[in-house]
Amino acid sequence: MVDVKLISSASSKERTMKNENSESVARKLVAAGKGILAADESLPTIEKRLKSIDVASMEENRRAYREVLFTTAGLGEFISGVILFDETIRQKTRDGRTFVEALEQQAVIPGIKVDKGAKPMANFPGEKITEGLDGLREQLAEYRQLGARFAKWRAVIGIGEKIPTQRCIETNAELLARYAALSQEADLVPIVEPEVLMDGAHTIERHFEVTGQTLQIVFHALAEYRVALEAILLKPNMVLSGKDCPHQASVQEVAEATLRCMKRVVPAAVPGLVFLSGGQTDLQATEHLNAMNRLDRVPWELSFSFGRALQAPVLKVWKGDPTNVADAQRAFHHRAWCNSKARFGKYTEEMETKKAVA
Ligand code: 13P
């Protein structure tokens, strides 16, 4: 007969070791003055971004654009990790290094988006469920082999008349928890991203309420699925007025509401909150992060995992033209520097026109 006790004690030791390793990766991702670049746009999303600068979404153009980002000199000063997309983790720089190698050479940790996108939820008009659990165990093992050290899964919760429903939040939370458990099994740090959208005319109070409710359900699911909170990062939305709300909350109000909400529901064991930008302008996202880091002490690092808010200025300058690469990289380095300052609460508007200095 197989000795069950032996097997379970060996696997629990292995689990403990893996967790220690992952805990240190999670802490490195939220190291002082650094944050994450989300460059994991799926094919339809990157097509939209490239179209905005009149560049066709061909594989070579997507590769060239990502190369601009990943080969920016000094990237590792302000960026701790980059989230890649399935296509991107397999691509190379023009000089033949895999993107994973190019990032590692800058001391940047490679990560990978593993969900398959938010799809309409049957019978729940206006709500979405994130897909991607089928075959995920095998896929995570492959990504780990390719050099990824962390993963990301995004759930989307919308606000509207009669939504979100409890069912939608609970199902998304369960999926996030199952993904997080599988990621930890594969020795990858899961970034848990339940995004409550800012689209709509709702007030900041409503966004506060739905964000709190969502996070509470997500942490309940994570506990039920035995996810080690020390080895995850939470990627939450900031608490904002809806985009079309006639009264827009001030920077200070956003910072206070966001931290008040997080303090109620996010356990202190989580090493860091890496906020998404979610459609804010690059300046707004930086200002909000800065204001949060100036408020009272919290148990977690308050950092960023911005997509649009880091990339918008780069796209604008690059425009698909190789002669603009150096300027585009300067724009990226500058934006990352501003966000790095915001991590210390030391960002000022004057920095927008200044050169980045450490
Ligand atoms: P935004 O900062 O553009 O919201 O993107 C972050 C991200 O990774 C969304 O999943």
Side-chain angles (χ1 to χ4, degrees):
M1 211 175 87
V2 186
D3 189 337
V4 175
K5 221 169 93 202
L6 254 180
I7 289 177
S8 67
S9 80
S11 65
S12 104
K13 190 169 163 206
E14 203 179 285
R15 234 185 12 241
T16 309
M17 280 167 57
K18 261 188 193 167
N19 281 345
E20 277 169 13
N21 208 348
S22 303
E23 283 177 34
S24 99
V25 173
R27 282 195 303 267
K28 278 187 195 148
L29 285 168
V30 289
K34 294 189 190 184
I36 297 171
L37 163 68
D40 59 329
E41 295 81 7
S42 61
L43 294 177
T45 308
I46 193 72
E47 184 174 0
K48 236 187 337 190
R49 303 272 187 275
L50 292 178
K51 215 170 159 187
S52 75
I53 52 162
D54 282 331
V55 172
S57 182
M58 288 140 53
E59 186 184 347
E60 175 48 25
N61 291 344
R62 295 192 293 265
R63 193 208 61 75
Y65 172 57
R66 263 75 181 241
E67 176 162 348
V68 173
L69 297 170
F70 306 160
T71 60
T72 294
L75 182 70
E77 289 170 68
F78 313 127
I79 299 294
S80 56
V82 172
I83 315 175
L84 304 167
F85 176 60
D86 183 76
E87 175 184 82
T88 327
I89 199 172
R90 303 170 198 280
Q91 286 174 323
K92 293 184 175 170
T93 57
R94 225 157 28 102
D95 61 15
R97 293 169 294 153
T98 65
F99 279 158
V100 167
E101 284 163 353
L103 291 172
E104 281 170 347
Q105 282 161 6
Q106 302 236 57
V108 174
I109 305 172
I112 181 80
K113 182 230 291 292
V114 301
D115 66 70
K116 297 259 189 290
K119 308 283 162 63
M121 181 172 175
N123 295 337
F124 289 75
E127 298 200 288
K128 287 185 171 171
I129 283 292
T130 301
E131 293 185 351
L133 271 191
D134 288 350
L136 185 59
R137 174 175 274 134
E138 294 71 26
Q139 193 140 41
L140 291 169
E142 190 199 0
Y143 289 142
R144 183 68 186 80
Q145 278 276 312
L146 288 168
R149 303 304 318 268
F150 68 101
K152 183 195 103 173
W153 178 291
R154 172 174 178 253
V156 182
I157 306 295
I159 297 182
E161 213 186 313
K162 300 207 182 113
I163 68 168
T165 60
Q166 182 82 3
R167 181 71 272 147
C168 174
I169 301 175
E170 282 179 2
T171 306
N172 272 303
E174 176 128 349
L175 292 165
L176 274 167
R178 291 183 63 193
Y179 137 80
L182 281 163
S183 297
Q184 290 188 337
E185 180 191 83
D187 194 23
L188 290 161
V189 171
I191 294 193
V192 173
E193 181 181 7
E195 176 176 2
V196 180
L197 297 174
M198 65 186 285
D199 301 336
H202 54 266
T203 60
I204 189 170
E205 288 79 15
R206 177 88 174 115
H207 204 224
F208 178 96
E209 182 194 357
V210 176
T211 301
Q213 183 193 4
T214 301
L215 290 175
Q216 203 171 4
I217 295 171
V218 166
F219 279 102
H220 180 72
L222 291 171
E224 290 215 317
Y225 281 86
R226 304 178 181 175
V227 172
L229 295 185
E230 294 80 2
I232 72 161
L233 291 175
L234 177 70
K235 179 162 172 165
N237 52 279
M238 298 178 192
V239 173
L240 303 160
S241 314
K243 251 190 207 152
D244 305 323
C245 178
H247 172 75
Q248 289 292 311
S250 68
V251 171
Q252 193 62 17
E253 282 166 343
V254 167
E256 281 170 15
T258 304
L259 288 194
R260 191 173 163 82
C261 181
M262 300 297 142
K263 279 196 230 169
R264 286 190 185 178
V265 286
V266 182
V270 175
L273 315 187
V274 291
F275 288 94
L276 60 97
S277 60
Q280 303 176 62
T281 66
D282 39 355
L283 263 66
Q284 281 171 338
T286 308
E287 280 174 351
H288 288 146
L289 180 66
N290 187 59
M292 281 191 274
N293 275 304
R294 293 177 71 89
L295 284 174
D296 34 328
R297 283 235 307 263
V298 288
W300 336 273
E301 293 293 327
L302 299 177
S303 186
F304 58 90
S305 173
F306 293 159
R308 282 161 283 184
L310 277 168
Q311 295 185 49
V314 193
L315 277 166
K316 243 188 267 165
V317 177
W318 178 58
K319 296 197 198 87
D321 183 343
T323 63
N324 292 335
V325 167
D327 285 341
Q329 291 185 328
R330 256 191 298 279
F332 179 39
H333 187 263
H334 181 267
R335 200 70 245 137
W337 173 67
C338 289
N339 284 305
S340 167
K341 290 289 177 197
R343 285 227 42 208
F344 299 110
K346 297 235 159 83
Y347 164 78
T348 59
E349 221 186 301
E350 292 81 67
M351 286 176 184
E352 292 300 338
T353 49
K354 272 197 190 149
K355 234 179 119 183
V357 279

